[in-house]
Amino acid sequence: MAADNGERQSPWQLYHGPNLGYIQEQYEKFMSNPDEVEPGYRDMFERWGPPPSGADYNEAATGSGAAAIPSENSYQAMNPVYLKKVVDAGKLVRNIRTYGHLAADNDSLGLNRSPDTRLLEPETFRISKDDLKSIPASLIWEDAPSSVSNGWEAITLLKKIYTQSCGFEFSHVHEEEERRWLNRMAESGMAAKPLNTKERTALLNRLIEVEQFELFLQRAFVGQKRFSIEGIDMLVPMLDEIVREVGHNGAKHIAMGMAHRGRLNVLAHVLGKPYATIFSEFHHAPNKELIPSEGSIGISYGWTGDVKYHLGAHRSIKEGQTYETRLTLANNPSHLEYVNPVVEGFSRAAQDDRSAPGYPKQDFGVAAAVLIHGDAAFAGEGIVAETLNFKKLSGYQNGGTIHIIANNRIGFTTESSDSRSTYYASDLAKGYEIPIVHVSADDPEACIAAIRMACEYRHRFHKDFLIDLIGHRRHGHNETDDPETTQPLMYQKLRNHGGVAAKYADALANKGLITEEKLQEMKSAVLSVLQTALDGVKQDGGERRRTRNDEMSSKRRNAEADTSVPLQQLQAINAELLKWPEGFKVYEKLERILKRREGALDEGGKVDWGLAETLAFATILADGKPIRLSGQDSERATFAHRNLVLHDPQTGDTFCPLHRLPQANASFAIHNSPLSEAGVLGFEYGYNVFSPETLVIWEAQYGDFVNVAQVIIDQFIAAGRVKWYQRSSLVMLLPHGHEGQGPEHSSARLERFLQLAAEDNWTVANLTTSAQYFHLLRRQASILNTEDARPLILMSPKSLIRNPRVASAPEAFSEGAFQPVLEQPELGGEPEKVERLILCSGKIAIDLATAIEPGGADGEQQPDWSWLHIARIEQLYPFPKGDIERIISRFTGLKEIMWVQEEPQNMGAWNYVEPRIRSRAPQQSDVRYVGLPKRSSPASGFQEIYHFEQQRIISVALNRSTLNTKQ
């Protein structure tokens, strides 16, 4: 279809602007189907060939080559078809950046379905190779390398960048500066700077160590589970690189969290746990036929112990004289992702300087968090979203967490299509604007490049970064499992899929960087170290079992601390608490309430619950001990009794009196938390474990909401000490009490905490006076960072907060101490007459006290209560057996000990206290229960029913005629 260049002049010179564009459109139709254009145009195209392109027109107009950038005037004269081609080429560039990850070469097993990548092709936009060649590269890629001159070269290079081993997802990052930086890092090669020969050799050696460790365990301990790292071997070198990069950036602490997959390898090679110690744990593992699920009980620190692939470790790494970094791998149960908030708490505690009054001073650079997730767990476990939500919250942010999804493409035996609704395992992170890189675990240098980008991003922007490490799982869920029963096709492919160490060795050999002799030498050296360690374990019979010792004793030894505070000091503190900054206005109604506290510590005054708490905080700060308090609405408290952060109604400014308290010698952090229980409680637990000198308090909005955090309670708070020798003094404030509010606002599930109480693992209390609360908080502060440190579980009040019977006289603070058992002061004066002893705890004790107090019409005879005595058990665990025994022994004529509670019989404290009371009851005394019958729900939700049932309980308890009768 050659053009006729005879004597006649081409007609195309007569067409300009829109007319030329129209002719070009007709020509495109002609090329597709000549019958679609009019015969006249068809004849012209057959005779004269194609009309001039935009590039030809530009060259004629400017006298320069196709790559020349048109001047402003030539742009105005340029035909619209060319402009459209430029615009469409720009759209193609955007699509490559946005969707290039769909075509990335990171599925080494070919398990994924072929994605639709038409959005990455020029043909989708009707752009030809010649069209792209006619466009200067700078028009569609402003940061194009100098070696790239036109659009075709630009598109070709961009597709190569965005579809190799790394797939980049950055388009969901809304901050323009961050997104441009991320794209530049991917496109400029900064993050993928080639490793030098020394680095490559070291990387290969590490991969050999990782691989040979797993193979050695397989041979030495046949059939024992280890949850092998094989298939994602690169995780270990990637963690090594994080330690180097973050350490060089100044971090003194790196906190890591992961599940059991690959944990032994990480412990050995990143945390430096000796091979001999790990082999010893295998040596003591139980019979795999009898105990198929777990292994190695009793090896670890603690008294109960845990399996070897749940254990954590610490290590300090020093690189010359430049920096020293302490690594911490958190202990974690098989609840997979629940370690995430704990590690976030570790890193925040490391970053906070709590030495001065006010909020702690935070330094993001001091510490970093690294979380290794499972692909199925990241998408499936709600705790992941709760933890990601900490990213920008002032009370919880830590300057950026580096996330790695150890993506072995399978959850236990579940295919990805059955375990998530998203395309990628990482898609949840998009909602939090976290940059994502999908990288093949079979490309070591791409993995290192991804880590360097992540570390640089965190250092520059102080935000999270996620790497989706796409590999496989060499064995089944564990090494005793046959995976081909559920994934036959995957494991048929894996038979012919070599390990990454061998592949990388071949790649280096092809580049002339390593010889076969050197490779064998490296393997032999690794195997020699492993064998020597195993021989040593065999020689000593594996006697590396850690035994209990005096330091690990579960019994408390310290004498009761003096928690009283001189009255003058309390009065001075109280006066300071009622001073606001000049010009600061307090909400009028609240100001009146707070001003009532002015005379609370004077003679005849009373200190209510809220003031007692604030005075406890203030005196603890005066002792130089920092405090951190968080929870939903904790700044004012759910029941508006605290109000430690005041708001100016005119300016919106805030002020916390404890931040400007002259007596304070440490920081006070108070934060309203997100609507999360498991995530926030895990965070506070981690914060406390890392900073044991800090009084860390978590408050539930209602005690019932603690149900959502049951995993954190069961696995960490209740058992962390005996499983992992991990000390905590965390305080949990759980509003508890039946007041007719219904099933979800009545019970903090006291029975569950008492059921978990063993081995002196915590303190469980249910208090009835403000002074008791004051002294218990101060007692808790006195055991911080000691062997006596234990969590404190407190059933805190609701309606009792403002009940005058709970308020205490000033001398109870300046002279008193915490009492595990309180006796009703008006009763028991004549011990020989007492026939019924009522034992109770918490709010019901106040209801009983209200019922027996003097009252009624003038001259009305008051009941004779000489037959009755009431004792409140304020500390339920550890059970105050000595106090109870002394009380019982006073009443020689005792006929009955009655436990009274407002909770249903199968809830509350009854099942816990019954055997303890019965074993101490005199032979002639009956032990009885009075309360609600057994129920499946804590409360009815109907006020009239509540009042009826409560009145019945009180009536039976205080009715002498019910002595020794069955209910």
Side-chain angles (χ1 to χ4, degrees), residues 460-773:
R460 181 180 292 262
F461 298 106
H462 307 301
K463 291 183 179 180
D464 292 27
F465 195 101
L466 187 148
I467 296 171
D468 182 14
L469 178 63
I470 303 173
H472 57 269
R473 192 177 71 194
R474 177 64 62 178
H475 305 283
H477 176 68
N478 60 64
E479 287 67 31
T480 68
D481 181 33
D482 180 3
E484 293 200 47
T485 60
T486 51
Q487 273 76 32
L489 297 181
M490 177 188 296
Y491 283 90
Q492 286 173 20
K493 291 185 177 183
L494 278 174
R495 289 198 194 100
N496 301 315
H497 192 82
V500 65
K503 291 182 178 181
Y504 192 52
D506 289 344
L508 296 188
N510 291 335
K511 294 177 182 179
L513 300 179
I514 191 170
T515 63
E516 181 63 27
E517 292 75 19
K518 177 63 176 176
L519 179 62
Q520 293 306 318
E521 181 185 324
M522 294 165 74
K523 288 183 179 180
S524 297
V526 171
L527 286 170
S528 176
V529 173
L530 290 165
Q531 189 63 52
T532 300
L534 180 61
D535 292 343
V537 171
K538 290 179 177 179
Q539 287 173 8
D540 65 15
E543 293 300 323
R544 297 177 181 272
R545 181 184 297 270
R546 294 185 176 93
T547 58
R548 304 183 189 191
N549 54 44
D550 291 340
E551 289 187 351
M552 293 163 61
S553 170
S554 65
K555 297 300 179 185
R556 307 180 201 194
R557 302 182 309 279
N558 287 359
E560 192 72 24
D562 180 8
T563 56
S564 62
V565 178
L567 186 57
Q568 277 188 315
Q569 183 179 346
L570 292 173
Q571 290 171 334
I573 288 173
N574 192 42
E576 292 294 338
L577 293 172
L578 295 173
K579 294 179 181 178
W580 339 123
E582 185 177 352
F584 186 88
K585 302 295 182 184
V586 179
Y587 178 53
E588 187 176 346
K589 179 181 177 181
L590 179 57
E591 183 176 11
R592 289 197 301 269
I593 294 172
L594 294 176
K595 288 294 186 182
R596 292 175 195 160
R597 297 178 173 179
E598 285 180 324
L601 290 161
D602 297 339
E603 186 175 352
K606 290 285 186 178
V607 176
D608 65 12
W609 190 273
L611 179 55
E613 179 185 73
T614 304
L615 290 173
F617 291 164
T619 55
I620 291 168
L621 294 174
D623 292 339
K625 297 182 178 180
I627 298 172
R628 176 182 167 91
L629 168 63
S630 83
Q632 294 156 17
D633 311 299
S634 283
E635 290 183 356
R636 66 150 227 184
T638 300
F639 307 103
H641 74 275
R642 182 172 296 126
N643 293 299
L644 278 178
V645 176
L646 307 176
H647 295 255
D648 189 317
Q650 297 177 2
T651 66
D653 293 340
T654 59
F655 169 68
C656 177
L658 289 175
H659 287 166
R660 287 183 40 176
L661 188 70
Q663 294 89 343
N665 292 301
S667 66
F668 178 73
I670 182 168
H671 299 286
N672 287 334
S673 76
L675 194 63
S676 158
E677 286 80 34
V680 173
L681 183 57
F683 184 100
E684 302 304 344
Y685 173 81
Y687 195 106
N688 177 232
V689 167
F690 201 93
S691 59
E693 80 288 354
T694 305
L695 181 64
V696 180
I697 303 170
W698 177 73
E699 181 177 54
Q701 190 175 58
Y702 283 89
D704 316 65
F705 298 171
V706 79
N707 292 342
V708 186
Q710 201 64 47
V711 172
I712 298 295
I713 295 165
D714 291 353
Q715 299 296 333
F716 292 91
I717 300 173
R721 184 178 180 88
V722 297
K723 290 196 298 185
W724 310 315
Y725 197 47
Q726 190 160 280
R727 292 199 301 266
S728 169
S729 53
L730 179 70
V731 178
M732 294 173 60
L733 302 180
L734 309 177
H736 175 82
H738 283 230
E739 286 134 338
Q741 294 194 67
E744 280 69 57
H745 297 87
S746 297
S747 174
R749 295 295 187 174
L750 171 62
E751 63 278 359
R752 295 180 184 171
F753 293 98
L754 294 175
Q755 185 183 41
L756 288 168
E759 300 181 278
D760 199 21
N761 60 332
W762 55 24
T763 300
V764 182
N766 195 8
L767 310 181
T768 58
T769 77
S770 63
Q772 285 280 84
Y773 184 38

Side-chain angles (χ1 to χ4, degrees), residues 117-136:
T117 58
R118 286 175 294 178
L119 288 174
L120 309 180
E121 302 303 329
E123 292 78 11
T124 301
F125 297 92
R126 296 186 179 181
I127 311 173
S128 67
K129 180 178 180 179
D130 288 338
D131 291 332
L132 289 171
K133 281 187 173 181
S134 73
I135 300 173

Side-chain angles (χ1 to χ4, degrees), residues 130-350:
D130 288 338
D131 291 332
L132 289 171
K133 281 187 173 181
S134 73
I135 300 173
S138 59
L139 286 182
I140 58 174
W141 184 9
E142 61 184 31
D143 296 319
S146 57
S147 60
V148 176
S149 61
N150 61 56
W152 176 253
E153 294 175 355
I155 294 300
T156 302
L157 180 56
L158 285 171
K159 285 184 68 175
K160 180 180 178 182
I161 290 170
Y162 282 95
T163 62
Q164 291 189 105
S165 295
C166 285
F168 302 100
E169 283 197 275
F170 303 146
S171 61
H172 57 279
V173 177
H174 296 162
E175 290 290 336
E176 178 71 16
E177 179 188 358
E178 293 178 30
R179 192 172 62 254
R180 289 177 62 85
W181 182 89
L182 289 163
N183 286 330
R184 281 199 302 270
M185 286 290 286
E187 295 164 12
S188 67
M190 290 171 59
K193 183 174 66 175
L195 304 181
N196 59 40
T197 301
K198 181 180 179 181
E199 290 173 324
R200 284 170 165 162
T201 304
L203 176 54
L204 175 60
N205 191 67
R206 181 58 111 192
L207 287 172
I208 291 171
E209 289 176 335
V210 170
E211 179 184 72
Q212 293 303 315
F213 175 76
E214 298 289 356
L215 296 176
F216 190 84
L217 289 178
Q218 182 80 350
R219 294 191 299 270
F221 304 100
V222 178
Q224 288 204 42
K225 292 175 297 182
R226 64 185 190 275
F227 296 99
S228 162
I229 202 173
E230 292 164 276
I232 47 171
D233 306 51
M234 268 305 299
L235 178 63
V236 167
M238 291 168 77
L239 293 177
D240 289 338
E241 190 67 19
I242 290 175
V243 172
R244 280 191 291 270
E245 291 288 326
V246 175
H248 277 299
N249 286 335
K252 298 178 181 178
H253 301 275
I254 299 176
M256 299 181 182
M258 67 182 299
H260 45 275
R261 175 75 53 205
R263 191 179 188 90
L264 293 182
N265 218 306
V266 170
L267 282 168
H269 297 119
V270 182
L271 277 297
K273 186 172 183 177
Y275 289 145
T277 302
I278 296 174
F279 296 160
S280 177
E281 292 169 352
F282 275 97
H283 183 86
H284 287 290
N287 187 312
K288 68 183 179 67
E289 298 300 328
L290 298 178
I291 306 178
S293 296
E294 306 294 352
S296 86
I297 303 298
I299 307 301
S300 61
Y301 284 113
W303 317 295
T304 301
D306 200 357
V307 295
K308 53 189 169 290
Y309 36 78
H310 288 174
L311 304 182
H314 301 277
R315 181 188 186 187
S316 290
I317 295 178
K318 191 168 185 177
E319 292 273 342
Q321 300 300 314
T322 56
Y323 68 89
E324 181 173 356
T325 303
R326 182 165 176 78
L327 311 183
T328 299
L329 178 64
N331 303 289
N332 189 36
S334 284
H335 287 273
L336 302 178
E337 303 290 330
Y338 276 82
V339 76
N340 294 355
V342 176
V343 170
E344 298 288 324
F346 282 2
S347 62
R348 178 60 181 260

